Amino acid sequence: MKTIPASVLAAINKETGREAQVLVRVDWPSPIGTKWYGETTKQLEDLDIRGWLAGVTPLTSTVGPDWSAATTDVAITINDAGGELYGALTFPSAPVETSTARMYLHFAETTKADLVLLAKGRVTSPISYSEATRQLTFTLFADHRSESATIVLDQTLDSLVPDESDGKVVPLVFGVPRDVPAVLIRKGPVTFLTQDIDSADTQFDCESDHTFPGGTIKVRVEDEYMNADVNGDTITVTSRNVAAFTAVTASRPSNSPDVSNPFVLWIDSDQNAAGQHIIIDGDDVPGTHSTNQARLCVAQKGRKLLFDRPWTRNTGDTWVIGAGIPVTAKRYAFDWLDTAGPANANQWTIQAGARVSQAGQEFKTYLVSSVPATELLRVRAYRTYQQGRLGITGRKLVDVPQDLYVATNQTYLLPNDEGTLVGVTCTQIRFPVALEYLNQGWDDDTVYVTVKSSTGANVVDQIQWLLEEKTNITVDAASFAAVRSKVSKYRADHAILDATDALELVHDMAYQARCAIFISNGVAKIRYLSQAPTPVYTLRNDRNLVDSFGLELTDVTELYTSTAVTWRRGYTGGDQDKRFRTSKNIDRFGVLPDARDYSIYQRKSLVTKSSTFWALRKSRTWKMIHVVADMRLLPFEPFDGIELRLNEAGQSVAVLIPDGTIAEVYSVRYSPKPHAVELLLWLPIESGGNFTSSNAYLSDAGDTSIADPSPKPAKNTIARIAPFAFSMYSEPMQQTVAAKILKVITSKTAEIELYPLGLSSAPSGTGFLTVIKTPPVALAVGQTGLVWRTPMGSYQTDVFAQ
C-alpha cells in the first residue's frame, strides 16, 4: 500500500478535493533543463507549472502469470506551440532519450511536499514529434537497471586467468550448498611437450603459451626434475635428473614401535615424498655391498615414510638403517621402469603431451564464491584408487586433507557487465602444491567445496542482497522484515553457476519460495503468497461507481495440471538432477503440462512444499471481481489485502462473495480523465464455489526449522572402516583369525591400526602396525589399499579411498 500524506487523504475525502491534477516533471538536457508541465498553468510555491500537458495514458500496476508484478509504462504528450521541445530534438548536444521524468498527482489545498509520486523513469521510445499538432509524445519507462548476478572470468581483461577458465562463471553461493564446483582463477606456470623425449635428450620443444620467468629455472617434466632455460617454445636442459631434495637423514627413532620395520624410514624435513622414489647410496650403509637402493614411498605419516618393499641386499636378506645413523638420500618424482634392481638414471621415456611445470610454483587457486564465506566445511575432489588384488581401479569423490590447502576471503579484480575490472571479495581455496602434482591419484580439474555464505540461508536476505548489490532498486524494509520471519523455516541453500540477470533471478527465487515481488518507482516489496494477507482496507459498495461491479475468472490458458519438477541435492558429477511430478485437478481439465526447475532448495521436502502450493494454485480457475471506485482507492498496490463488505450498502451479492472474504489486489489502473481507480481483485474462491477454498493457501503449521548443514570437516583419510580377514599364527598351529580395521590415523594417505574382532577394549599404542598375536605381520599402506605380508604369503585387501 502506498504511503499517502495525511493532507492528501484529507483532500481526497473532500468533495472539492477530489479533483486532482497530473503534473509531469522532465529533466531535459541542456539548454532546456528541468521543466514542469500540468493540465493548467499555475504556480505551486516555487514550481512554475506550464499548462502544456496534452494527455497521459492510464497507469496500471498488475500481476503477471507467475505472480510477479510491475507497473506499466505511460505515454505522455506535451504541447509545443513555441517549438522549444522541437529544438531539443534537433539540438546536436541534447539527446532527449537521456532525460528522466516523473509523474505526480497534485490535490487542491495541498503543498509541493504533498505531491503523490505515480511513476518515474526514463524518457524512451516511441519518441515522436508531430508538425501538424505541434506535440511531442514519449514513453515514461521504469528505469529498473539490473546487471548479471554472477561474474564471468575474461582472459582478455585478466591475462592471469588460465585458458580452461576463460568464460567460466564464478559461483554465487547462498546459504550452505553442498559441493559447489570451484573455478580455477590462478595456477603456476605450465605448458606441455610437443614431442617425445627420453632420458638422453637435452633440448626439446613445448607449447609456448606459458608464463615461465627468464633465465635458468628448475622445471618438472611429468615426474622428472631438471634445470633448464626456457626460451619461447624451446627448453634447453643444463642438467637432468635433478633431485627434488637431498641430504635426507634417514635415522630411526629408537623409541618407535617401527624401529625394526624394514618397510619404514624417516626423513628430517616436512617435504612430501608419498608416491615418489627415495634413492639411498649404498656406500653410506654398511652391509649393502655399495649397491644403490631405490624404493617407492607409498605413504607418509608426518616424517615417517612407508615403502612398497623392504630395504634388502642383493642376496634378499632384510636390513634396516640403524637408529641414529644419518644417510644421504635423494627423492626422485619419476616412475622407474624396473625398481627390482639397483637405481638406473636412464630408464624412462616421456611422451608428447606431458606436463611441463616450474618446480616450486606448482600451485592452484580456485574461487569458491563471489561473496565471502563465514566458514569452510569441506573440500572434496575425485580420486582414483585400486580395488582388490586384481588391480581393478575405481574413482570416488573423497575429502581433501586440510593440510593440502588454505581457505581465505580475498579481494580480486574481476570483470563487471561493463567490461571493466572491479574489486570483489571472494572466497578462495589455494593449494600450495596442486593436487595433480602429488601423484596420489587426485583429479583436480574440479574441486568441490562446501562453505557457509555470509548472505545466510533465508531467501529474503538473499533477494535483498541481489537487489541492493546488482540492481538500482531499493527494498521496502517493512515488507521484507515481515516475510523474512515467515520463510525462516525454509532454508535456501544453493549456488548460482550460470550467467543470469539479477532481476530475473530475484523473481524466480521469490516464485520458488512461494513469494512475489512488486517493484514500483524503484522500490521492491515482497509478499508471502502461501498465507492470506492481513487486510489493509474494507471495501464497501459506497466506494464503487454506479454499475462498475463485474465478475471475472482467471485466464484458463494459464492453467497447469501436471508439473515436471527438477531439483538437485548438490553439484558434483554424481548429483544428477532429481525429478518428480506434481499433478492436481487432471480429472477436470486433463493433462496440461508445465516444467519447473527448483534450484534454491537441496531438500526434497522443501521442493515438495513449494511445488504443491503452485500445483494447487495454478491448476484451478479463480474468481476475480472488477470495480471502479473513486480516488480513495489510490493508495492500493498489487498484493494488498482487502476485506470485502459488499452487501452492506443495499446490493445483495452474498451468493457471489460472502462478506468478510479477504481479496488480494491483482491490478490497479489509474485513469486521469476522469480521475478514477479501477481495481481487479483476486478472490480465494474457486470457479463453481462460493467460499474460500482450502486450495488457495498452504498451511505452514507443523513445519520445523532446519539447522545449518554440518558436514564433518575434511579428514586426512583415504581408508574406511571395512572388515576383512588375514592369516596369522596362533600357538604352534596355524589358524585363520578374523581382523577388522578399528581406527584410521591419517595424514596425506593413511596409517592403520588392526585388532582382532570381538576385542572388548582397544589396546594402547598408535604405532603403524599393532597386532595382538605373533609373529609380526609386515604391512604397507598404498595410495589405494593395504599390502600384507604374512608367513603364508602376501595379498592386497579391498580398502577404498574415503
Side-chain angles (χ1 to χ4, degrees), residues 527-764:
R527 156 89 167 93
Y528 187 49
L529 299 174
S530 199
Q531 294 178 0
T534 300
V536 296
Y537 187 77
T538 300
L539 180 64
R540 295 178 170 86
N541 270 319
D542 62 352
R543 294 290 189 263
N544 305 339
L545 300 184
V546 177
D547 297 329
S548 70
F549 179 85
L551 179 65
E552 300 181 15
L553 295 179
T554 53
D555 192 344
V556 177
T557 63
E558 295 177 1
L559 286 175
Y560 297 107
T561 60
S562 179
T563 303
V565 176
T566 306
W567 66 287
R568 60 201 59 80
R569 290 195 176 96
Y571 300 95
T572 68
D575 287 313
Q576 299 296 327
D577 287 349
K578 308 298 181 182
R579 292 176 174 83
F580 67 89
R581 190 172 297 276
T582 303
S583 302
K584 302 290 182 183
N585 229 11
I586 290 179
D587 55 342
R588 184 171 185 177
F589 295 105
V591 177
L592 301 173
D594 185 26
R596 285 285 173 180
D597 180 31
Y598 281 81
S599 59
I600 70 173
Y601 299 125
Q602 289 190 321
R603 293 172 181 261
K604 186 176 182 179
S605 61
L606 302 183
V607 178
T608 301
K609 181 84 175 184
S610 181
S611 62
T612 299
F613 166 78
W614 285 113
L616 293 170
R617 180 71 70 92
K618 302 186 78 170
S619 63
R620 291 162 169 79
T621 53
W622 302 89
K623 289 183 178 180
M624 293 197 292
I625 62 171
H626 171 272
V627 294
V628 179
D630 58 31
M631 294 291 286
R632 281 174 286 186
L633 299 188
L634 182 66
F636 293 123
E637 296 175 308
F639 306 119
D640 284 342
I642 294 182
E643 182 182 6
L644 300 180
R645 295 285 177 182
L646 300 178
N647 300 312
E648 297 178 356
Q651 294 186 14
S652 178
V653 292
V655 177
L656 298 176
I657 308 166
D659 282 345
T661 299
I662 307 301
E664 296 186 45
V665 176
Y666 195 84
S667 72
V668 183
R669 186 174 188 265
Y670 164 68
S671 299
K673 288 187 178 182
H675 295 289
V677 178
E678 184 178 344
L679 293 183
L680 185 62
L681 305 178
W682 180 87
L683 305 179
I685 301 175
E686 294 185 45
S687 172
N690 290 328
F691 299 95
T692 298
S693 169
S694 61
N695 296 315
Y697 304 104
L698 194 61
S699 173
D700 295 344
D703 294 344
T704 58
S705 299
I706 302 173
D708 282 343
S710 54
K712 293 182 179 179
K715 295 182 178 180
N716 302 330
T717 176
I718 64 162
R720 69 179 179 188
I721 295 176
F724 58 91
F726 64 95
S727 297
M728 57 189 306
Y729 284 112
S730 175
E731 303 298 337
M733 300 178 60
Q734 177 191 353
Q735 60 180 217
T736 301
V737 179
K740 185 177 182 180
I741 299 177
L742 295 183
K743 185 176 182 181
V744 180
I745 307 172
T746 62
S747 179
K748 294 180 180 177
T749 50
E751 186 172 355
I752 312 298
E753 289 182 326
L754 299 164
Y755 308 101
L757 290 175
L759 195 65
S760 59
S761 61
S764 61

Side-chain angles (χ1 to χ4, degrees), residues 253-465:
S254 59
N255 59 347
S256 170
D258 289 307
V259 65
S260 299
N261 190 339
F263 286 83
V264 176
L265 292 179
W266 280 262
I267 60 176
D268 62 354
S269 69
D270 293 326
Q271 299 186 60
N272 178 50
Q276 302 180 37
H277 285 85
I278 298 296
I279 302 173
I280 297 179
D281 189 342
D283 291 334
D284 291 345
V285 183
T288 61
H289 305 292
S290 301
T291 300
N292 292 348
Q293 300 288 328
R295 298 289 184 268
L296 176 63
C297 176
V298 294
Q300 181 172 347
K301 170 63 176 175
R303 296 184 178 183
K304 180 166 61 176
L305 310 182
L306 304 124
F307 294 88
D308 62 335
R309 297 180 299 117
W311 294 89
T312 64
R313 300 179 186 174
N314 290 338
T315 59
D317 298 332
T318 61
W319 60 270
V320 296
I321 303 171
I325 300 177
V327 176
T328 299
K330 294 182 178 181
R331 181 189 77 168
Y332 286 91
F334 52 78
D335 291 329
W336 298 85
L337 297 182
D338 179 10
T339 59
N344 185 337
N346 296 305
Q347 291 185 328
W348 61 91
T349 298
I350 303 176
Q351 296 180 337
R355 181 186 63 231
V356 181
S357 59
Q358 181 182 1
Q361 294 294 316
E362 296 166 328
F363 66 89
K364 282 188 176 181
T365 302
Y366 301 81
L367 294 186
V368 180
S369 175
S370 57
V371 294
T374 59
E375 183 180 356
L376 184 140
L377 301 177
R378 183 173 65 191
V379 178
R380 298 209 289 174
Y382 278 97
R383 193 171 189 180
T384 301
Y385 59 92
Q386 183 173 312
Q387 175 180 340
R389 285 187 294 170
L390 298 179
I392 300 174
T393 59
R395 189 170 181 265
K396 188 172 182 180
L397 187 64
V398 299
D399 288 349
V400 177
Q402 291 176 321
D403 57 353
L404 297 184
Y405 61 84
V406 177
T408 57
N409 289 324
Q410 189 77 24
T411 298
Y412 278 86
L413 290 176
L414 299 176
N416 60 13
D417 283 1
E418 298 176 359
T420 58
L421 297 178
V422 295
V424 180
T425 301
C426 305
T427 300
Q428 72 168 21
I429 300 291
R430 188 178 192 277
F431 293 83
V433 179
L435 293 177
E436 66 172 311
Y437 293 95
L438 297 179
N439 293 327
Q440 296 178 1
W442 293 104
D443 177 0
D444 64 0
D445 285 345
T446 306
V447 175
Y448 300 93
V449 186
T450 301
V451 296
K452 183 181 295 186
S453 174
S454 57
T455 58
N458 192 303
V459 70
V460 172
D461 291 327
Q462 298 168 8
I463 289 173
Q464 180 171 342
W465 184 91

Side-chain angles (χ1 to χ4, degrees), residues 22-24 37-39 50-56 76-79:
V22 175
L23 303 182
V24 174
Y37 306 99
E39 300 169 41
R50 301 182 179 189
W52 296 4
L53 189 61
V56 176
I76 297 173
T77 301
I78 300 176
N79 291 319

Side-chain angles (χ1 to χ4, degrees), residues 485-562:
S485 63
K486 294 180 183 296
V487 301
S488 60
K489 293 187 290 187
Y490 308 104
R491 58 176 306 118
D493 301 306
H494 59 119
I496 312 302
L497 304 179
D498 299 312
T500 181
D501 179 77
L503 199 50
E504 292 180 6
L505 178 61
V506 161
H507 284 296
D508 183 48
M509 290 169 59
Y511 180 93
Q512 296 180 53
R514 295 173 286 150
C515 295
I517 298 291
F518 170 57
I519 303 172
S520 177
N521 297 326
V523 179
K525 296 182 179 180
I526 190 168
R527 156 89 167 93
Y528 187 49
L529 299 174
S530 199
Q531 294 178 0
T534 300
V536 296
Y537 187 77
T538 300
L539 180 64
R540 295 178 170 86
N541 270 319
D542 62 352
R543 294 290 189 263
N544 305 339
L545 300 184
V546 177
D547 297 329
S548 70
F549 179 85
L551 179 65
E552 300 181 15
L553 295 179
T554 53
D555 192 344
V556 177
T557 63
E558 295 177 1
L559 286 175
Y560 297 107
T561 60
S562 179

